[in-house]
Amino acid sequence: MYDLIIIGGGPAGLTAGIYAQRARLRTVLIEREMVGGQIAVSDVIENYPGFSSISGAELVQRFEEHAKGFGLEIKAAEVEGIGVEGNIKVVRTSEGELRAKAVIVATGAKPRKLGVKGERELLGKGVSYCATCDGPFFRGQRVCVVGGGDTAVKEAAYLAKLASKVYLVHRRDKLRAEKILQEKVMKTENIEILWSHILKEIKGENGVEAVVLEDLKTGSQKTVEVEGAFIFVGINPTTDFVDVEKDDGGFIKTNQRMETSVEGIFAAGDCRTTPLRQVSTAVGDGAIAAFVAEGYVEGFDG
Ligand code: NAP
């Protein structure tokens, strides 16, 4: 039996792994895809202290090397559920069951879909949720970016370096993104912000050819020719497999000690209810979760 099972290998999970190893807890980290989480596909990170500019891939590679340097065991598997047998947590995975005294859920979140016509049909044919992955395919072409948060604005700035024209489509007349990111897109010549517009449909046969937009102020619709449609309208947490108290969006509720409604199950990073989802906050959550879990494991009465 393990002392601690960490589910998810993004910044929160890897940080929890570093702290757990240093606390000499018998720990395993389970990750279903590649280690790194969402940040691994982020083009550039400019607000993680100590690195004025670093790619997401390089930052997570450093996190992983750091955690492995302390001997963290990392297993590739998909977690299907967490059962509770007395005080013991039973983590059911695609590779079998694992048991532990405590569990930290650090499974992050996935991009939300718009649910419009053409979005699913043209996925991978011009519709994308990852500018770093797909941006280079749109060199010299026209793209639209939907959303007004940090992701949309940041990725619009990145895409403007490759595409000939970027339409930033936002449903309000004010962006939600950090001010410094807003200033950047406002200053970029080939970005046109379409305020108070929503995307109604993505058109195309074998690839994206145009998007139909609606002006919410006038109710009028127009078709704009683009070869790519990038959608960044927020995130959904990956928390279905765990039965603890959650908010309306499915994010796990914790207290400031990262404790969930079930004793011995902790949550850290983007998957929990929190006012800010950054690498720096995920790292802080992971450290607290591992520290509190250590105390829980020490006082554990099986
Ligand atoms: P977000 O902050 O939730 O923003 C989502 C954006 O999409 C909002 O502008 C929202 O509009 C819009 N939206 C939502 N549903 C929509 C719909 N159905 N149709 C049209 N527009 C819709 O999500 P995010 O940008 O993915 O960021 C997620 C978290 O990661 C945030 O906490 C963010 O700070 C963090 N993050 C940080 C950085 C960084 O470098 N600092 C980078 C990426 C992400 P409204 O504004 O009208 O609600």
Side-chain angles (χ1 to χ4, degrees):
M1 185 167 75
Y2 288 98
D3 290 325
L4 176 65
I5 295 175
I6 299 166
I7 308 172
L14 288 169
T15 304
I18 291 169
Y19 277 73
Q21 286 302 115
R22 290 171 62 83
R24 302 289 185 242
L25 296 182
R26 192 161 177 253
T27 305
V28 62
L29 183 150
I30 307 173
E31 170 59 52
R32 67 173 167 186
E33 294 165 356
M34 54 173 196
V35 168
Q38 283 200 105
I39 206 70
V41 295
S42 190
D43 173 43
V44 59
I45 292 159
E46 294 179 334
N47 54 5
Y48 188 67
F51 298 90
S52 49
S53 179
I54 186 167
S55 75
E58 191 185 339
L59 187 59
V60 293
Q61 191 193 334
R62 289 182 186 225
F63 285 177
E64 185 182 359
E65 281 166 11
H66 193 160
K68 284 185 170 164
F70 282 117
L72 180 66
E73 182 189 352
I74 300 180
K75 250 189 211 315
E78 167 127 28
V79 172
E80 288 153 2
I82 305 176
V84 180
E85 285 177 10
N87 274 346
I88 305 211
K89 308 292 175 288
V90 182
V91 176
R92 296 188 302 277
T93 83
S94 52
E95 308 300 312
E97 282 185 0
L98 296 171
R99 283 157 192 273
K101 296 173 184 167
V103 172
I104 296 175
V105 179
T107 40
K110 287 236 172 287
R112 197 176 287 152
K113 311 279 183 290
L114 271 180
V116 297
K117 198 170 162 210
E119 184 180 14
R120 193 164 43 83
E121 296 82 345
L122 293 164
L123 178 63
K125 296 176 183 164
V127 173
S128 172
Y129 303 90
C130 175
T132 317
C133 321
D134 301 323
F137 298 122
F138 299 91
R139 216 173 275 277
Q141 301 186 340
R142 298 158 297 183
V143 301
C144 79
V145 169
V146 184
D150 282 337
T151 309
V153 170
K154 207 172 152 186
E155 301 302 6
Y158 168 70
L159 286 165
K161 290 188 243 163
L162 304 163
S164 59
K165 175 89 185 179
V166 177
Y167 297 97
L168 179 57
V169 180
H170 183 40
R171 65 182 177 184
R172 288 188 297 136
D173 52 11
K174 194 167 180 280
L175 295 169
R176 179 184 291 278
E178 262 186 315
K179 295 285 181 302
I180 190 168
L181 296 172
Q182 294 191 27
E183 288 164 12
K184 202 167 178 178
V185 293
M186 306 275 191
K187 274 196 279 188
T188 308
E189 270 183 13
N190 62 339
I191 298 180
E192 182 179 337
I193 307 181
L194 298 170
W195 300 105
S196 307
H197 276 73
I198 53 166
L199 190 155
K200 297 289 284 184
E201 185 183 344
I202 304 169
K203 288 187 158 180
E205 285 291 321
N206 297 315
V208 170
E209 292 165 17
V211 286
V212 179
L213 305 176
E214 181 180 318
D215 183 333
L216 291 176
K217 292 217 162 128
T218 63
S220 65
Q221 291 199 355
K222 64 180 170 195
T223 301
V224 177
E225 286 184 7
V226 289
E227 285 77 34
F230 286 83
I231 296 158
F232 303 113
V233 293
I235 52 174
N236 286 329
T238 311
T239 56
D240 284 353
F241 65 90
V242 53
D243 197 9
V244 292
E245 216 178 297
K246 296 171 196 165
D247 66 18
D248 292 344
F251 293 91
I252 297 172
K253 288 188 183 176
T254 69
N255 59 16
Q256 59 182 3
R257 292 164 56 82
M258 306 302 141
E259 292 163 327
T260 69
S261 57
V262 176
E263 207 175 280
I265 300 183
F266 304 83
D270 284 9
C271 67
R272 77 178 191 100
T273 306
T274 171
L276 187 62
R277 295 191 172 83
Q278 303 279 300
V279 182
S280 52
T281 52
V283 160
D285 281 8
I288 294 171
F291 173 75
V292 178
E294 180 195 353
Y296 176 78
V297 167
E298 270 174 10
F300 185 83
D301 183 6

